Amino acid sequence: QVRPLLLFQSSNGDELTTLAEYVERMKEGQEHIYYLTGASREAVENSPHLEAFRAQEYEVLYLTDTIDEIMVGHLTEFDGKQLQSAGKGTVEFGTEDERKDAEDARKAQEENHASLLELLQETLIDHVKEVRLSNRLTSSAACLVGDTFDMSPGLERLLRQSGQEAPDQKRILELNPDHKILTQMKTMYETNSADPQIVDYAHLLYGQAVIAEGSQLPDPAGFARRVADLMAQ
């Protein structure tokens, strides 16, 4: 068995950790071993995907070697705990009661933002499969996440760099319901749902999320124009 010998960088500190040591430190109610892949430790540490993990003091493994993108496709569990990317699927924190309270609060927020989210999804239909509210963001306005079994952006880039085909995957745009930008967009929508600025903000949020994960913008010139227009205002 090689798994017990593997060493990982971690949000727990500068020392490398084994999976067994990670499991020993898991919080009450924690069901998964969390990790995030990225080009460097700095890139992973600064990822918006980890904001709630830091706030809730959940440890995350930092997978920064190129081979890690392939390795995690085979290393799916350890000691009965499933490995889960912090950048995929949904995340749940706390005990069962705390998770239920958080889910009830999220549903109430989504009902409150339903019409705006529908408009944003229609606006970005060429780029994302869904627009939803996030429970992993605390300070950033937006991030892109994949479904549980989607290919990561890093693996997509790795395959294309090696000359292999990688499917074009639409991902999920998550928005921070407590961010001032979303609050302002909701006010704009309630004032005039046809306000063209809402469309510009939608594309800016998507572009910001693409940049934050280290991917390339689909329309850099359009993004730059929208930023310039916003600055001019």
Side-chain angles (χ1 to χ4, degrees):
Q1 276 279 357
V2 176
R3 295 180 184 185
L5 304 178
L6 296 173
L7 294 172
F8 298 90
Q9 297 185 73
S10 161
S11 60
N12 186 57
D14 295 331
E15 297 293 326
L16 297 177
T17 184
T18 65
L19 292 171
E21 291 168 338
Y22 178 103
V23 170
E24 287 180 0
R25 293 189 294 266
M26 287 174 64
K27 296 172 70 70
E28 179 186 356
Q30 182 177 345
E31 298 177 351
H32 298 91
I33 297 172
Y34 292 107
Y35 71 88
L36 190 65
T37 59
S40 66
R41 182 184 179 105
E42 182 181 14
V44 174
E45 282 185 321
N46 293 326
S47 170
H49 296 101
L50 299 189
E51 290 175 356
F53 288 88
R54 283 193 293 271
Q56 298 286 339
E57 298 183 340
Y58 274 67
E59 183 176 355
V60 179
L61 300 177
Y62 298 158
L63 276 58
T64 59
D65 290 333
T66 302
I67 193 64
D68 288 339
E69 294 283 1
I70 299 172
M71 183 269 293
V72 291
H74 302 280
L75 180 63
T76 57
E77 67 87 26
F78 179 82
D79 196 22
K81 305 292 185 181
Q82 296 292 315
L83 271 73
Q84 179 176 329
S85 170
K88 292 183 183 180
T90 57
V91 293
E92 297 179 323
F93 301 106
T95 63
E96 185 176 348
D97 288 342
E98 289 171 337
R99 291 198 296 266
K100 184 180 184 303
D101 290 343
E103 177 65 12
D104 290 343
R106 185 190 62 81
K107 287 181 178 178
Q109 287 177 320
E110 289 201 331
E111 289 178 6
N112 191 34
H113 291 81
S115 297
L116 175 60
L117 293 175
E118 183 177 351
L119 174 60
L120 297 180
Q121 186 160 330
E122 291 174 357
T123 300
L124 298 172
I125 191 65
D126 290 338
H127 303 297
V128 301
K129 68 173 78 173
E130 182 184 355
V131 179
R132 69 188 185 198
L133 299 184
S134 178
N135 67 343
R136 73 185 86 212
L137 296 173
T138 61
S139 56
S140 296
C143 70
L144 286 169
V145 303
D147 278 330
T148 303
F149 300 106
D150 280 356
M151 188 180 298
S152 71
L155 184 54
E156 283 186 46
R157 290 192 292 270
L158 179 62
L159 290 175
R160 291 190 175 115
Q161 288 168 2
S162 64
Q164 301 181 57
E165 290 189 8
D168 290 324
Q169 297 182 121
K170 289 184 180 180
R171 302 205 286 121
I172 300 163
L173 180 65
E174 287 195 349
L175 303 177
N176 183 350
D178 299 318
H179 200 282
K180 186 176 181 179
I181 290 177
L182 193 62
T183 302
Q184 291 177 331
M185 290 179 70
K186 188 172 184 294
T187 300
M188 292 168 61
Y189 179 85
E190 291 171 346
T191 303
N192 177 14
S193 61
D195 189 332
Q197 276 196 322
I198 299 175
V199 172
D200 284 336
Y201 285 173
H203 285 284
L204 285 171
L205 282 172
Y206 171 71
Q208 176 184 327
V210 171
I211 292 171
E213 71 172 17
S215 296
Q216 292 186 341
L217 291 168
D219 180 16
F223 182 81
R225 175 181 56 77
R226 289 186 171 97
V227 171
D229 290 346
L230 183 62
M231 293 173 68
Q233 294 172 24

